[in-house]
């Protein structure tokens, strides 16, 4: 466990810029004394009550009138003495307040330092700290929901139940070790093998949520493909509509694709359109199917746009055969509705079929089971640790046979338990902490 810094730290908890209110936090030993130099009378304020106060600079000039709330240790987010100051937003006032607090003795916090202290003081679990970061970073409702579920203990409960079973198995194995002469020990070896097999299955099942979770974190990559004039760009814009969050022209010699973030049914989607092929060598492609090869390979879903009822030809057929492809019939407003088969018919002009297409995109990229969202492994740290637990459980299997070795099986089970505990945060090593807080922002 790392040595614990407890000196007073200060940071802006809200994003800089124009806003009605900004919040500055100070935490650490002596935080109240530090803040008193800026907020006269603060140590006398009732704890956990917002008190209207004057914030003053060292020269006695007024910085702002605002609210001060004192949280005395251990009843605070960090577990330390903590003060929250609400001042008016904007660039000038919070900056002056921060400067005054630093002058009064607080050090600017490093990224994630508040949350790190909360974890080290036992106020917050490691999984919950990660969940807070993910919640703050959420762009799509379903990302927020997964993070909130983790904050609410969904993943923790599941992991603790798995850990419990691993520990029980170790206990049962101990009998095998203590009574090696009894043919079967008090627990039949078959029962041990069955319990071990079920545990391995369940850990693997949880690990299998990882690819979906990665997609949830990054957004599913949905690529528009089709011939020139098939209506890709129009569909791109229609799907983004008001929900367009970001459009970037991708750097490169041929500016061949644009990507925009959006959501379908609450799921995060990265939609990619080929932005027209400007480079001379693109002439060949212009006769065929417009699509960025780079994106096609990485796509979770390819929307192959084909006008009306036209039969698929050449390269279109190749793409349509791919399991990740979905044929979208465009320009539905131009075609009579009678001949329509089961394909998706959409019109970027009238908006027809767009809702059905959104549903299809969500179903194809994230599956249908949105309502029964399982705890998932949102982070690489989770996947690594659980992967190592699986390896140890597999290694234990080899020693649970008829000529087995209970001692070795027990050793691997203990290692698996250790990986689960590291994942839960029961034991927190320095490098694990460093990894968790690496991508936190200052003020969290
Ligand atoms: N009537 C109608 N025209 C469309 C529709 N979508 C696209 N178009 C037209 O078809 C042409 C090609 O569209 P565009 O989106 O640029 O196709 P892209 O080359 O595949 O990106 C343009 O003239 C569009 O106005 C549609 O849903 N209905
Ligand atoms: Mg286009």
């Amino acid at each position: 466990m790392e040595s614990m810094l407890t000196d007073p730290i200060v940071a802006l908890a809200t994003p800089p810029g124009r806003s009605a209110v900004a919040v500055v936090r100070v935490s650490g030993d002596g935080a109240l004394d530090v803040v008193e130099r800026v907020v006269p009378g603060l140590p006398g304020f009732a704890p956990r009550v917002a008190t209207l106060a004057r914030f003053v600079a060292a020269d006695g000039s007024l910085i702002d009138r605002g609210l001060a709330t004192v949280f005395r240790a251990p009843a605070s987010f960090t577990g330390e003495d903590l003060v929250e100051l609400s001042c008016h937003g904007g660039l000038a006032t919070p900056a002056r307040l921060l400067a005054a607090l630093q002058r009064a003795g607080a050090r600017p916090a490093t990224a994630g330092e508040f949350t790190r202290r909360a974890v080290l003081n036992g106020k917050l679990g490691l999984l919950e700290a990660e969940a807070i970061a993910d919640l703050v970073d959420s762009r799509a409702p379903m990302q927020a929901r997964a993070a909130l579920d983790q904050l609410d203990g969904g993943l923790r409960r599941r992991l603790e139940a798995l850990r419990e079973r691993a520990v029980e198995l170790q206990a049962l194995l101990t009998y095998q070790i203590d009574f090696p002469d009894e043919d079967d020990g008090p627990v039949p070896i078959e029962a041990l093998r069955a319990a071990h097999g079920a545990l391995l299955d369940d850990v693997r099942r949880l690990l299998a949520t990882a690819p979906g979770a990665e997609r949830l974190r990054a957004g599913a990559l949905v690529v528009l493909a089709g011939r020139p004039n098939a209506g890709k760009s129009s569909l791109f814009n229609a799907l983004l509509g008001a929900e367009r969050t970001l459009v970037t022209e991708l750097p490169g010699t041929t500016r061949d694709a644009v990507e925009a973030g959006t959501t379908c049914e609450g799921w995060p989607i990265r939609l990619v359109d080929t932005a027209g092929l400007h480079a001379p060598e693109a002439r060949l492609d212009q006769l065929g199917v417009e699509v960025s090869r780079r994106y096609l390979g990485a796509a979770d879903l390819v929307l192959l746009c084909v006008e009306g009822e036209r039969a698929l030809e050449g390269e279109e057929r190749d793409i349509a055969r791919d399991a990740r492809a979905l044929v979208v019939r465009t320009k539905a407003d131009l075609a009579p509705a009678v001949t329509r088969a089961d394909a998706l018919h959409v019109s970027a002009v009238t908006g027809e079929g767009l809702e059905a297409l959104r549903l299809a995109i969500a179903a194809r990229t994230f599956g249908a089971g949105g309502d029964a969202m399982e705890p998932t492994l949102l982070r690489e740290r989770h996947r690594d640790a659980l992967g190592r637990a699986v390896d140890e459980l597999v290694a234990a299997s080899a020693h649970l046979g008829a000529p087995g070795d209970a001692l070795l099986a027990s050793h691997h089970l203990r290692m698996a338990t250790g990986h689960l505990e590291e994942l839960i945060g029961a034991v927190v090593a320095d490098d694990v902490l460093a990894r968790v807080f690496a991508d936190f922002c200052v003020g969290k």
Side-chain angles (χ1 to χ4, degrees), residues 248-373:
T248 42
E249 281 215 1
L250 298 166
T253 45
T254 61
R255 298 182 305 156
D256 62 348
V258 284
E259 179 183 320
T262 185
T263 59
C264 283
E265 302 296 301
W267 300 101
I269 302 292
R270 295 160 57 200
L271 197 62
V272 174
D273 180 30
T274 51
L277 301 164
H278 304 298
E281 69 267 25
R283 267 201 59 227
L284 260 183
D285 282 32
Q286 277 175 349
L287 302 171
V289 172
E290 271 186 12
V291 70
S292 159
R293 312 278 150 200
R294 206 159 22 120
Y295 274 101
L296 200 56
D300 292 306
L301 177 66
V302 177
L303 300 180
L304 179 60
C305 298
V306 184
E307 312 93 308
E309 297 300 317
R310 181 173 64 71
L312 272 56
E313 295 164 20
E315 204 180 352
E316 289 176 332
R317 286 211 208 104
D318 296 338
I319 291 178
R321 261 195 291 276
D322 192 310
R324 297 169 301 160
L326 179 65
V327 176
V328 179
R329 296 292 180 169
T330 57
K331 310 189 189 183
D333 55 297
L334 298 181
V338 281
T339 53
R340 292 183 186 177
D342 47 358
L344 280 160
H345 291 265
V346 302
S347 167
V349 172
T350 64
E352 175 189 346
L354 289 181
E355 218 23 68
L357 178 56
R358 290 181 166 286
L359 280 169
I361 291 172
R364 288 287 295 264
T365 51
F366 288 100
D371 285 336
M373 189 190 268

Side-chain angles (χ1 to χ4, degrees), residues 68-82:
T69 312
V70 173
F71 299 86
R72 287 186 183 271
S76 73
F77 174 69
T78 54
E80 306 171 323
D81 277 345
L82 185 148

Side-chain angles (χ1 to χ4, degrees), residues 1-40:
M1 182 70 61
E2 74 177 32
S3 66
M4 171 88 184
L5 289 175
T6 59
D7 59 323
I9 49 172
V10 64
L12 192 60
T14 46
R18 289 191 75 210
S19 65
V21 175
V23 175
V24 172
R25 285 199 297 198
V26 183
S27 178
D29 289 346
L32 270 58
D33 297 335
V34 166
V35 181
E36 188 190 12
R37 291 175 200 135
V38 179
V39 186

Side-chain angles (χ1 to χ4, degrees), residues 119 122-130 149-164 206 375-377 381-382 420-428:
V119 169
K123 302 294 289 191
L124 196 66
L126 201 56
L127 289 166
E128 288 75 12
E130 290 171 322
D149 179 69
Q150 187 177 317
L151 185 57
D152 199 36
L155 181 59
R156 167 179 298 279
R157 283 189 291 277
R158 180 116 166 222
L159 290 169
E160 278 173 351
L162 293 171
R163 179 196 166 274
E164 197 64 29
L206 184 55
T376 50
L377 303 177
R381 182 183 83 82
H382 305 171
L420 289 172
E421 286 169 350
E422 178 196 312
L423 177 45
I424 294 167
V427 284
V428 186

